[in-house]
């Protein structure tokens, strides 16, 4: 079980209320406009000055959390545009374990001597269950609840849950518009996927992988979900104003209560879906309305049974109507009583799970997409699969709250509001033979699996059947330098392990354009001695130096003849900005005395927050010196340096010297096959 994050611990006023008998009043989320509005740019802004706050016992005579009739426990949307959250909350009515996790049982209610006017809730946030405590004063308009509530006027679990979620987000207005998938994850700690019901383009377009911000979603297949149709969370949403559902306008989410494969009197089969509109009223005029023509195709007893299942705000439609009227569906993975995910593809329980947090930092670990030369600097993770099994991998980023006025302007300009809150992210995976491998070679190989394209989503998911072995995971943003925190989660039917990758030893790629002599050295930048910093500082020449010679090889073809790689030996979280310069040593001069700025012939700069920096260049015959450095002086770290020189068949021994702090560790000649 994930650790509880006490972001909203039991407050001093709450403790005082328990002792004095007074009813708790939450000073962190007061009965004021600051709790209702963020910037007053949504339609509820017109309610300013009109809202009062009342406790349930001030709204009705006998308040309760849940009604005796479960059909009246479902949420009914009020004046707040949070249908996405209400659709997700319906999953709690299907899973008592989850309900007790989010809303712990045995909290003192109205009429109980221990009741003090507050309730505790838990929401899953970035890997932990976060506690949120609220008082039970609820926003009302003309003495009735103005936001979400149950169909039963005396049941208050929905209104209390909504208030706790609003406090978590900072205000009620912050709940205006959102994704069902996000709320499902917050309420379950699980995973949700979005599937498209729209146009998918040509087969070639579907096969082609793009590094862009275009979202590619799976196409709905109700047969695929037959393993989990009784216990998965399913919702549907519309982005436009389709014909039969035109009264709903744009951007509305509804809950799929159930779907059945029903036989008609002619012997054929038809999928029927029962849909609940959180507005609490029917908005459908198709073949399966109460007096629609569709019912005549069914056995009368079957038709009566299906009609009897309809509650307020519900209606039936068939698969063809469903796919034509809605733009996408959201599928929430079911969870067992033990808290294990159940695969929506196979019905298998994913009993093994791991998670690790990470961060993209500009100039350090925000390498961008595979189109960028800095891609390899992105955070890297090891996934070890011990036996063949089904593996689900999730990449989830932190939401960034932006000014809603800017978001509104983006909508007016035709931009996606999700761009205001999220980076475009993707996840790529490679199969490797063992932990010790060449990163640059691996990254040019075909990927094993990926989320295909970068998407402005809080979470992207990939799922595969994987064979035993090691897998390299690289999460990335589309734009280099884009910053945010993220969480990698892995769920599997077989034993797995997940760890952050320790960068491999520096290496230079083998080539087929002749013979290369490769030499590797280790050294250190030591504060006050050899950590001189960049050329901006007078102490620069205190940095270690590495001397080498390029010989005149008439049989070597023209082109690149020197490749240099600098690697710093420290974890990703402690990387320094590093780089190096190459200087020509005048003939007959002493390297220690005569190397000057005017002798600079090549550079690997600007300094970068990355494990490795490399340079390939062409140098004429002569003597040279490499000066590796950090950007700031007095930054201590160990490093290693690799030098590859193209040579004739005869291996020419070089005279390398890196000073007192350097020790040669290898000398390898790579021969062309």
């Amino acid at each position: 079980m994930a650790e509880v994050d006490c972001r909203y611990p039991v407050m001093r006023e709450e403790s005082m209320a328990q002792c004095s008998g007074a009813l708790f009043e939450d000073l962190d989320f007061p009965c004021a406009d600051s709790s209702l509005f963020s910037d007053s740019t949504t339609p509820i802004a017109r309610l300013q000055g009109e809202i009062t706050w009342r406790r349930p016992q001030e709204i009705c005579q006998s308040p309760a959390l849940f009604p005796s009739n479960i059909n009246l426990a479902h949420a009914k949307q009020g004046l707040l545009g949070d249908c996405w959250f209400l659709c997700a909350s319906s999953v709690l009515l299907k899973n008592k374990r989850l309900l007790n996790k989010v809303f712990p049982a045995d909290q003192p209610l109205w009429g109980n001597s221990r009741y003090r006017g507050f309730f505790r809730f838990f929401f899953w946030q970035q890997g932990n269950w976060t506690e949120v405590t609220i008082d039970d004063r609820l926003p009302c308009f003309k003495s009735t609840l103005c936001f979400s509530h149950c169909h039963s006027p005396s049941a208050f679990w929905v209104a209390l849950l909504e208030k706790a979620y609003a406090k978590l987000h900072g205000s009620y207005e912050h709940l205006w518009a959102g994704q069902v998938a996000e709320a499902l994850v917050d309420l379950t700690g699980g995973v949700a996927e979005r599937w498209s019901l729209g146009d998918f383009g040509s087969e070639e377009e579907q096969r082609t992988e793009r590094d862009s911000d275009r979202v590619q979603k799976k196409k709905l297949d109700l047969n695929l979900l037959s393993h989990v149709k009784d216990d998965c969370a399913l919702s549907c949403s519309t982005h436009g104003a389709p014909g039969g559902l035109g009264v709903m306008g744009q951007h509305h989410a509804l809950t799929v209560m159930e779907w059945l494969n029903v036989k008609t009197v002619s012997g054929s089969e038809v999928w029927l879906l029962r849909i609940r509109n959180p507005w609490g009223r029917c908005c459908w005029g198709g073949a399966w309305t109460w007096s629609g023509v569709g019912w005549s195709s069914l056995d009368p007893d079957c038709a009566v049974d299906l009609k009897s299942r309809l509650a307020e705000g519900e209606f039936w439609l068939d698969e063809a109507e469903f796919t034509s009227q809605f733009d996408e569906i959201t599928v929430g993975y079911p969870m067992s009583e033990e808290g294990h995910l159940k695969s929506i593809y196979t019905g298998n329980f994913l009993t093994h799970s791991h998670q690790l947090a990470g961060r993209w930092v500009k100039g350090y670990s925000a390498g961008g997409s595979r189109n960028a030369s800095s891609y390899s600097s992105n955070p890297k993770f090891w996934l070890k699969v011990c036996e063949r099994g089904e593996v689900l991998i999730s990449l989830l980023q932190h939401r960034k709250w932006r000014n809603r006025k800017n978001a509104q302007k983006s909508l007016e300009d035709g931009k996606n509001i999700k761009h205001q809150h999220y980076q475009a992210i993707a996840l790529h995976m490679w199969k490797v033979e063992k932990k010790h491998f060449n990163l640059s070679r691996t990254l040019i190989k075909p990927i094993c699996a990926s989320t295909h394209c970068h998407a402005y989503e809080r979470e992207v998911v990939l799922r595969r059947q994987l064979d035993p072995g090691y897998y390299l995971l690289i999460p990335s943003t589309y734009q280099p330098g884009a910053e945010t925190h993220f969480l990698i989660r892995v769920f599997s039917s077989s034993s797995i392990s997940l760890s952050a990758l320790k960068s491999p030893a520096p290496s230079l790629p083998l080539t087929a354009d002749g013979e290369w002599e490769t030499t590797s050295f280790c050294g250190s930048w030591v504060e006050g001695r050899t950590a001189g910093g960049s050329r901006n500082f007078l102490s620069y020449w205190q940095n270690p130096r590495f001397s080498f010679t390029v010989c005149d090889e008439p049989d070597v073809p023209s082109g690149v003849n020197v490749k240099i790689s600098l690697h710093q030996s420290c974890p990703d979280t402690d990387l320094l900005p590093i780089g190096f310069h190459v200087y020509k040593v005048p003939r007959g001069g002493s390297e220690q005395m005569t190397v000057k700025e005017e002798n600079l012939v090549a550079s690997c700069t600007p300094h970068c927050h990355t494990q490795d920096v490399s340079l390939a260049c062409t140098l004429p015959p002569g003597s040279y010196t490499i000066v590796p450095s950090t950007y700031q002086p007095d930054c201590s770290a160990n490093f290693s340096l690799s030098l590859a020189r193209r040579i004739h068949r005869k291996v020419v021994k070089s005279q390398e010297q890196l000073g007192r702090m350097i020790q040669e560790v290898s000398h390898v000649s790579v021969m062309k096959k």
Side-chain angles (χ1 to χ4, degrees):
M1 182 181 296
E3 178 184 352
V4 172
D5 177 5
C6 294
R7 184 183 305 179
Y8 299 93
V10 176
M11 290 160 281
R12 180 175 61 86
E13 291 81 359
E14 179 183 322
S15 301
M16 293 175 60
Q18 290 176 315
C19 297
S20 65
L23 295 182
F24 170 60
E25 295 185 358
D26 185 2
L27 300 183
D28 291 332
F29 200 66
C31 296
D33 283 354
S34 60
S35 299
L36 293 169
F37 313 110
S38 56
D39 48 37
S40 302
T41 57
T42 67
I44 65 170
R46 67 179 184 271
L47 298 176
Q48 291 190 58
E50 301 293 329
I51 290 180
T52 59
W53 298 77
R54 298 173 182 263
R55 298 187 189 270
Q57 64 269 36
E58 299 171 337
I59 299 173
C60 69
Q61 289 185 348
S62 302
L65 285 179
F66 299 95
S68 55
N69 183 349
I70 190 63
N71 285 327
L72 298 179
H74 286 281
K76 187 173 183 179
Q77 187 176 351
L79 300 178
L80 186 63
D82 60 349
C83 55
W84 59 283
F85 172 66
L86 303 182
C87 286
S89 68
S90 64
V91 72
L92 300 180
L93 295 178
K94 299 174 64 174
N95 190 315
K96 188 173 182 180
R97 184 194 69 85
L98 281 176
L99 177 61
N100 290 336
K101 182 68 180 176
V102 173
F103 196 175
D106 300 326
Q107 298 191 57
L109 305 180
W110 312 276
N112 187 302
S113 61
R114 295 187 299 116
Y115 164 74
R116 292 294 179 267
F118 65 85
F119 290 92
R120 294 182 301 114
F121 292 84
F122 288 85
F123 299 102
W124 189 90
Q125 294 284 286
Q126 294 296 329
N128 298 309
W129 285 96
T130 298
E131 181 177 347
V132 179
T133 300
I134 59 168
D135 64 34
D136 62 353
R137 296 178 294 175
L138 300 170
C140 296
F141 181 72
K142 296 182 179 179
S143 302
T144 60
L145 294 173
C146 61
F147 297 144
S148 302
H149 51 279
C150 291
H151 282 266
S152 169
S154 60
F156 289 89
W157 81 276
V158 169
L160 293 170
L161 178 71
E162 182 185 57
K163 180 174 182 178
Y165 203 57
K167 179 178 179 179
L168 182 71
H169 284 71
S171 71
Y172 277 92
E173 196 172 38
H174 269 138
L175 300 187
W176 191 283
Q179 294 292 342
V180 178
E182 295 181 19
L184 274 173
V185 173
D186 292 345
L187 292 171
T188 66
V191 175
E193 291 190 25
R194 295 167 59 199
W195 292 5
S196 177
L197 300 177
D199 182 23
F200 284 79
S202 66
E203 292 185 5
E204 180 179 356
E205 288 175 338
Q206 295 179 45
R207 290 194 303 266
T208 303
E209 178 188 352
R210 301 174 180 85
D211 265 327
S212 69
D213 62 0
R214 177 179 172 184
V215 180
Q216 295 178 340
K217 305 186 189 75
K218 299 178 180 67
K219 189 173 183 179
L220 173 66
D221 183 353
L222 291 175
N223 291 304
L224 179 64
L225 297 174
S226 60
H227 300 284
V228 293
K229 74 182 188 70
D230 293 327
D231 49 5
C232 77
L234 190 66
S235 69
C236 51
S237 59
T238 175
H239 300 161
L245 301 172
V247 299
M248 294 195 309
Q250 297 183 341
H251 305 291
H252 189 49
L254 300 89
T255 304
V256 180
M257 303 303 296
E258 65 173 325
W259 68 97
L260 306 168
N261 198 353
V262 181
K263 281 193 175 182
T264 66
V265 292
S266 64
S268 61
E269 294 183 341
V270 58
W271 279 106
L272 292 180
L273 300 96
R274 179 161 59 95
I275 310 298
R276 178 186 290 274
N277 181 7
W279 288 351
R281 63 180 185 270
C282 180
C283 56
W284 174 237
W288 301 92
T289 56
W290 192 262
S291 58
V293 298
W295 298 110
S296 61
S297 65
L298 302 184
D299 178 84
D301 292 337
C302 177
V304 170
D305 175 56
L306 294 180
K307 287 183 178 182
S308 68
R309 303 186 189 190
L310 293 174
E312 184 181 2
E314 293 184 354
F315 55 93
W316 288 97
L317 42 67
D318 59 40
E319 184 179 10
E321 293 172 331
F322 183 75
T323 55
S324 66
Q325 296 300 316
F326 295 99
D327 296 295
E328 69 176 32
I329 66 169
T330 299
V331 187
Y333 280 66
M335 302 190 75
S336 69
E337 287 299 317
E338 296 75 26
H340 300 310
L341 284 190
K342 186 177 183 180
S343 170
I344 61 177
Y345 298 94
T346 63
N348 295 330
F349 283 108
L350 308 180
T351 55
H352 302 266
S353 63
H354 293 277
Q355 65 181 33
L356 285 175
R359 184 183 180 188
W360 291 293
V361 180
K362 185 177 181 180
Y364 164 38
S365 59
S369 72
R370 296 173 68 198
N371 295 331
S373 60
S374 55
Y375 176 76
S376 62
S377 66
N378 282 300
K380 295 168 279 290
F381 297 86
W382 273 123
L383 173 63
K384 181 182 179 181
V385 178
C386 299
E387 55 185 323
R388 180 173 173 79
E390 183 176 5
V391 179
L392 181 77
I393 308 173
S394 153
L395 170 62
L396 187 148
Q397 63 175 309
H398 285 217
R399 181 184 178 106
K400 288 187 175 182
W401 289 109
R402 307 282 179 87
N403 186 290
R404 188 175 290 274
K405 292 181 180 179
N406 293 338
Q408 185 66 31
K409 185 178 186 299
S410 295
L411 282 177
E412 294 169 356
D413 294 341
K415 298 179 182 178
N416 193 328
I417 192 172
K418 289 184 295 184
H419 296 197
Q420 298 292 322
H421 300 304
Y422 298 119
Q423 304 292 352
I425 60 172
L427 181 66
H428 294 80
M429 178 169 65
W430 286 263
K431 178 78 163 59
V432 293
E433 296 302 321
K434 55 185 179 179
K435 275 197 170 184
H436 301 288
F437 70 104
N438 185 296
L439 179 61
S440 58
R441 286 190 202 170
T442 300
L443 296 185
I444 63 175
K445 293 180 179 179
I447 56 176
C448 168
S450 76
T451 54
H452 299 296
C453 60
H454 287 75
Y456 286 98
E457 305 287 343
R458 187 175 77 165
E459 183 175 29
V460 294
V461 177
L462 68 85
R463 172 253 174 203
R464 288 292 187 276
Q465 292 284 343
L466 295 182
D467 292 323
Y470 290 103
Y471 295 84
L472 173 66
L473 304 177
I474 301 185
S476 63
T477 58
Y478 181 63
Q479 293 290 345
E483 296 189 306
T484 192
H485 293 263
F486 65 84
L487 183 72
I488 291 277
R489 296 189 290 163
V490 182
F491 306 87
S492 175
S493 60
S494 61
S495 180
I496 56 172
S497 65
L498 180 68
S499 60
L501 175 64
K502 294 181 179 180
S503 297
S507 59
L508 291 167
L510 300 180
T511 63
D513 57 348
E515 299 175 13
W516 291 82
E517 180 186 68
T518 303
T519 309
S520 299
F521 291 87
C522 291
S524 300
W525 292 293
V526 180
E527 182 179 355
R529 296 177 58 190
T530 58
S534 68
R535 292 193 300 160
N536 296 333
F537 301 93
L538 296 177
S539 56
Y540 170 72
W541 295 108
Q542 296 176 8
N543 285 299
R545 305 183 193 184
F546 168 40
S547 298
F548 68 98
T549 301
V550 175
C551 296
D552 186 7
E553 295 280 353
D555 295 328
V556 173
S558 60
V560 171
N561 62 349
V562 174
K563 298 177 181 179
I564 306 167
S565 176
L566 173 63
H567 170 87
Q568 57 177 312
S569 305
C570 58
D572 284 349
T573 54
D574 299 323
L575 291 177
L576 299 170
I578 60 171
F580 61 83
H581 297 82
V582 181
Y583 297 88
K584 180 74 179 291
V585 178
R587 180 176 297 182
S590 167
E591 177 269 331
Q592 293 291 334
M593 299 297 295
T594 60
V595 172
K596 299 179 181 179
E597 282 298 313
E598 57 263 29
N599 301 130
L600 179 66
V601 293
S603 297
C604 185
T605 55
H607 290 71
C608 298
H609 277 93
T610 183
Q611 290 279 5
D612 301 274
V613 291
S614 300
L615 173 69
C617 58
T618 301
L619 298 178
S623 298
Y624 297 88
T625 292
I626 304 172
V627 181
S629 65
T630 59
Y631 182 72
Q632 292 285 346
D634 294 329
C635 295
S636 297
N638 295 323
F639 67 85
S640 52
L641 194 67
S642 291
L643 169 68
R645 286 164 293 178
R646 194 159 58 161
I647 59 173
H648 184 45
R649 179 169 297 276
K650 179 181 178 181
V651 176
V652 178
K653 294 184 179 180
S654 59
Q655 297 179 351
E656 293 87 5
Q657 180 182 359
L658 199 55
R660 292 181 301 175
M661 305 305 298
I662 305 303
Q663 177 183 3
E664 183 173 348
V665 294
S666 65
H667 185 92
V668 182
S669 179
V670 180
M671 307 299 293
K672 176 182 177 183
K673 294 183 179 180

